[in-house]
Amino acid sequence: MVEKEIKKSIDSATIDMLEKASSDGVSTAFSRAAAMKPCPIGAEGSCCSNCAMGPCRVPLPRGREETLEDKQKRKGVCGVTAETIAARNFTRMIAAGTASHSDHGREVTKMFLAVAKGEAPGYEIKDEQKLLQLALDFGIKIGDRSNNEIAVDIGQTLSDEFGKQEGELLFLKRAPLKRQELWRKQGVTPRGIDREVVEAMHRTHMGTDQDYHSLLRHGVRTALADGWGGSMIATELQDILFGTPSPVASEINLGVLKKDEVNIIIHGHEPYLAEIIAVVAQDPEIIDYAKSKGAKGINLAGMCCTANEVLMRHGVPIAGNFLQQELAIVTGVLEAVVVDVQCIMQGLADIANCYHTKVITTDRRAHMQGATHMEFDEHKGAQSAKAILCAAIDNFPNRGTNVRIPKEKTDLIAGFSHETINYLLGGMFRASYRPLNDNIINGRIRGVAGVVGCNNPRVTHDMQLDMVKELIKNDVLVLQTGCMAMASAKAGLMVPEAAAKYAGAGLASVCEAVGIPPVLHVGACIDNSRLLMAATAMVKDGGLGDDLSDLPVVGAAPEWMSEKALAIGQYFVASGVFTVFGVNWPTIGSKEVTKYLFEDFEEMYGGTWAFEPDPIKAAHLMIAQIDKKRKALGIDKTRERILYDMEMRRELEAV
Ligand code: BF8
């Protein structure tokens, strides 16, 4: 059977650079994905490589239903069942995702303590209000103490969350009481962040936990330690250190690169270095140095989640999302790609060899063969930033003539933190989610969807756009993070004018009244914790039930690829949110495990997983779920009335 070739991307800048890569004879993630089909047994979660008696492969029979006999035969050398294998793999992926977000959280905490103790010159506490709020939440004395003294206590309290052995994570108290009780009843309340990750690795070791129910229960506990632990700590402390985001205008796509300037991309996830690079790049001395090398200036742009961080706080433009990282080098105008941690393709080093680009690794935990390592030292932040900028500038004269910058770049507004949404809706002096709740209750807004996650070359790049457009057309307000936020921004959905063009009449009327886009950029992937806070604020404001699972709120990761996405999805589900993933589903090799996640979890957590690779069909699963919640809340009738309102119909016809 000839497999249908998938369209590579819906983004014309990406297509343009793929054509250039092909004529330049360089390989990219797209061409490598086409050349190497995914292993079907691994993809369905039916391969166990957790000991040296294997790897054991226990695939589902192909082309026919599994029989009882098949099921009995589907065992590894130790007798492990296909169910245990699928659940173990799934839990390990969650543990890796949680570890990544949480190690980021730990690093921020270390940085925060260094700043508070005056050991990190160049950084300071920017959001005093948030600092004091956290002190109040934790019962830390404020009195006449300085911000730095208070910050030392907050930093220490949060640092202890990682190694805590007993008790409950502190931020869990932010969740609605009913949710906290449910977690206790299900035995999934996380104790310490590191403890849950270590226990996940232990349970999934050969011969430990061999019941998929308890393995997956621990997967839930581990994921909650991410969303309400490591990720939330990272978001909160970054906000205090670098400022809580507020709306900021910028541009996105490869067209932000400039022909006559030194182009530097900051890429990865942890923003400490990028924060200071954004400042030092404006130093007249550095700009003069760039001019001395023949450039007109320095052009800083971001990639992946480090991009989201510096976009939200400095308006630094974004060059692209995950699958565009190699393509930025293919333009031939990139002097340096400066990387920290996570989602950095090793292919960058190879591709940089074909052009003049320098790949500069900066984090002690993330080295790459073929790259230049210039380690960031937070105690000498400005010096680190200056040295890296100078290395990029020195590379400008090496630029060749094989250059092409795609013309595409799009305006966007970013910076919709949970606090900003609060202010925008309710005003500075009566900040509240009340207007959002009211508009959900009266049916103008049908519900809220968090559409998050990655790109994946196994599906069409940025195809999630169909999902997002379908949702807003049906009056669902969309909140986005990570690479999905970038896909919508590139397509022009993150400007206020998009409401009239793409949103249903109800959603458009609210967006126009408040002056917001119908699709809100909420931040980086760790900022999915902001979505938890926004949903909690909706519950606390009243009228939409008394638990997160009562809300007409749904989640999706239509192009996911990373283990972090799976951890996020699992903490959404365990927080009561229906969450649909695209691409593939990693437990499909076990019907029992998949049923447990897709059906039984609904009973247990009030939220469940789903898998649907078609973005439009997935959008309708989400809308159906929203309507189900509206019905349970008794607000389905208000929406029906809205639908038959004549004025609304006229508005719809005018669009
Ligand atoms: O953390 S969305 S590809 S960049 S994993 Fe990575 Fe996925 Fe992008 Fe940000 Ni999140």
Side-chain angles (χ1 to χ4, degrees), residues 41-63:
I41 302 172
E44 67 176 43
S46 297
C47 175
C48 177
S49 59
N50 293 12
C51 85
M53 293 191 287
C56 296
R57 295 172 304 160
V58 293
L60 273 174
R62 303 290 173 212

Side-chain angles (χ1 to χ4, degrees), residues 258-372:
K258 293 185 178 159
K259 201 172 80 209
D260 42 14
E261 297 194 13
V262 176
N263 290 301
I264 301 167
I265 281 186
I266 35 188
H267 170 25
H269 286 78
E270 296 184 6
Y272 339 108
L273 170 63
E275 271 287 323
I276 206 149
I277 284 187
V279 175
V280 176
Q282 294 169 32
D283 182 340
E285 213 180 287
I286 293 284
I287 295 172
D288 283 347
Y289 186 58
K291 287 182 179 162
S292 77
K293 299 284 175 180
K296 285 204 173 137
I298 297 171
N299 181 38
L300 204 59
M303 189 69 78
C304 286
C305 283
T306 293
N308 284 324
E309 301 280 4
V310 286
L311 162 74
M312 290 189 297
R313 300 194 178 93
H314 297 276
V316 171
I318 295 185
N321 52 9
F322 176 68
L323 278 179
Q324 291 179 288
Q325 58 184 284
E326 293 174 308
L327 305 180
I329 298 180
V330 173
T331 61
V333 296
L334 189 59
E335 273 59 56
V337 51
V338 181
V339 303
D340 51 83
V341 293
Q342 300 168 24
C343 302
I344 297 147
M345 290 191 195
Q346 192 167 356
L348 289 181
D350 268 351
I351 214 162
N353 266 336
C354 305
Y355 303 88
H356 75 303
T357 309
K358 244 182 193 314
V359 179
I360 302 177
T361 52
T362 62
D363 191 280
R364 65 186 155 73
R365 295 159 296 173
H367 295 249
M368 188 192 292
Q369 283 188 321
T372 306

Side-chain angles (χ1 to χ4, degrees), residues 101 268-269 304-305 308 322 342-343 452-455 481-484 524-526 561-562 564-565 568:
H101 284 144
H269 286 78
C304 286
C305 283
N308 284 324
F322 176 68
Q342 300 168 24
C343 302
V452 307
C454 325
N455 303 138
T481 60
C483 291
M484 289 300 88
C525 280
I526 53 144
M561 66 85 200
S562 91
K564 290 180 287 173
I568 293 165

Side-chain angles (χ1 to χ4, degrees), residues 177-242:
L177 284 175
K178 209 168 162 189
R179 183 66 19 189
Q180 295 180 43
E181 278 158 23
L182 183 149
W183 288 332
R184 284 184 203 115
K185 188 177 138 231
Q186 292 294 345
V188 295
T189 304
R191 298 152 294 189
I193 299 162
D194 294 355
R195 173 170 184 178
E196 305 313 350
V197 174
V198 169
E199 190 170 315
M201 297 309 286
H202 177 196
R203 281 175 182 249
T204 54
H205 184 274
M206 189 270 147
T208 307
D209 198 349
Q210 295 169 104
D211 177 333
Y212 72 85
H213 303 88
S214 69
L215 277 162
L216 294 172
R217 190 182 315 124
H218 189 71
V220 167
R221 177 147 59 179
T222 308
L224 288 172
D226 177 350
W228 297 86
S231 281
M232 202 170 273
I233 291 173
T235 296
E236 293 291 287
L237 295 188
Q238 282 180 186
D239 280 357
I240 296 175
L241 273 184
F242 309 132

Side-chain angles (χ1 to χ4, degrees), residues 49-81:
S49 59
N50 293 12
C51 85
M53 293 191 287
C56 296
R57 295 172 304 160
V58 293
L60 273 174
R62 303 290 173 212
R64 63 176 172 83
E65 277 298 300
E66 182 186 25
T67 63
L68 203 57
E69 204 187 335
D70 292 325
K71 196 164 160 45
Q72 276 156 359
K73 280 193 194 149
R74 290 181 67 207
K75 301 236 163 89
V77 174
C78 68
V80 66
T81 62

Side-chain angles (χ1 to χ4, degrees), residues 282-602:
Q282 294 169 32
D283 182 340
E285 213 180 287
I286 293 284
I287 295 172
D288 283 347
Y289 186 58
K291 287 182 179 162
S292 77
K293 299 284 175 180
K296 285 204 173 137
I298 297 171
N299 181 38
L300 204 59
M303 189 69 78
C304 286
C305 283
T306 293
N308 284 324
E309 301 280 4
V310 286
L311 162 74
M312 290 189 297
R313 300 194 178 93
H314 297 276
V316 171
I318 295 185
N321 52 9
F322 176 68
L323 278 179
Q324 291 179 288
Q325 58 184 284
E326 293 174 308
L327 305 180
I329 298 180
V330 173
T331 61
V333 296
L334 189 59
E335 273 59 56
V337 51
V338 181
V339 303
D340 51 83
V341 293
Q342 300 168 24
C343 302
I344 297 147
M345 290 191 195
Q346 192 167 356
L348 289 181
D350 268 351
I351 214 162
N353 266 336
C354 305
Y355 303 88
H356 75 303
T357 309
K358 244 182 193 314
V359 179
I360 302 177
T361 52
T362 62
D363 191 280
R364 65 186 155 73
R365 295 159 296 173
H367 295 249
M368 188 192 292
Q369 283 188 321
T372 306
H373 191 71
M374 298 177 76
E375 200 156 301
F376 169 61
D377 178 353
E378 73 266 27
H379 303 106
K380 300 178 195 154
Q383 277 122 295
S384 295
K386 228 177 230 178
I388 289 166
L389 286 169
C390 287
I393 292 167
D394 288 339
N395 199 22
F396 182 76
N398 299 328
R399 195 187 281 182
T401 51
N402 177 18
V403 301
R404 185 158 99 219
I405 304 176
K407 59 180 184 326
E408 289 84 352
K409 57 178 172 177
T410 312
D411 290 339
L412 82 152
I413 310 277
F416 292 93
S417 58
H418 139 67
E419 291 81 356
T420 295
I421 298 174
N422 218 10
Y423 293 140
L424 283 173
L425 291 171
M428 183 61 92
F429 298 106
R430 50 184 174 84
S432 141
Y433 273 68
R434 191 71 253 151
L436 176 62
N437 285 18
D438 286 345
N439 279 302
I440 290 174
I441 293 165
N442 70 27
R444 282 198 185 88
I445 296 179
R446 191 175 197 150
V448 179
V451 181
V452 307
C454 325
N455 303 138
N456 188 322
R458 299 294 174 199
V459 296
T460 301
H461 171 235
D462 288 351
M463 63 146 196
Q464 65 101 34
L465 211 54
D466 290 343
M467 171 187 278
V468 172
K469 282 187 178 163
E470 192 66 14
L471 290 168
I472 59 176
K473 189 174 95 187
N474 284 282
D475 295 316
V476 177
L477 176 68
V478 175
L479 270 44
Q480 295 204 273
T481 60
C483 291
M484 289 300 88
M486 298 180 188
S488 293
K490 283 188 280 177
L493 298 184
M494 290 190 167
V495 286
E497 305 81 66
K501 201 162 166 197
Y502 299 106
L507 175 62
S509 68
V510 177
C511 290
E512 280 159 12
V514 184
I516 55 171
V519 183
L520 301 181
H521 188 301
V522 181
C525 280
I526 53 144
D527 295 327
N528 285 310
S529 61
R530 296 190 202 275
L531 301 186
L532 298 177
M533 290 303 295
T536 301
M538 287 166 72
V539 172
K540 291 189 174 162
D541 241 293
L544 292 173
D546 54 5
D547 193 0
L548 299 170
S549 53
D550 296 331
L551 297 169
V553 167
V554 291
E559 298 179 43
W560 78 284
M561 66 85 200
S562 91
E563 291 160 316
K564 290 180 287 173
L566 215 59
I568 293 165
Q570 185 61 90
Y571 72 65
F572 274 12
V573 168
S575 299
V577 178
F578 171 86
T579 302
V580 54
F581 268 40
V583 187
N584 68 7
W585 183 253
T587 70
I588 219 88
S590 165
K591 286 192 179 148
E592 277 176 54
V593 168
T594 305
K595 178 188 167 294
Y596 190 61
L597 294 169
F598 286 21
E599 294 174 24
D600 301 359
F601 266 26
E602 170 93 61

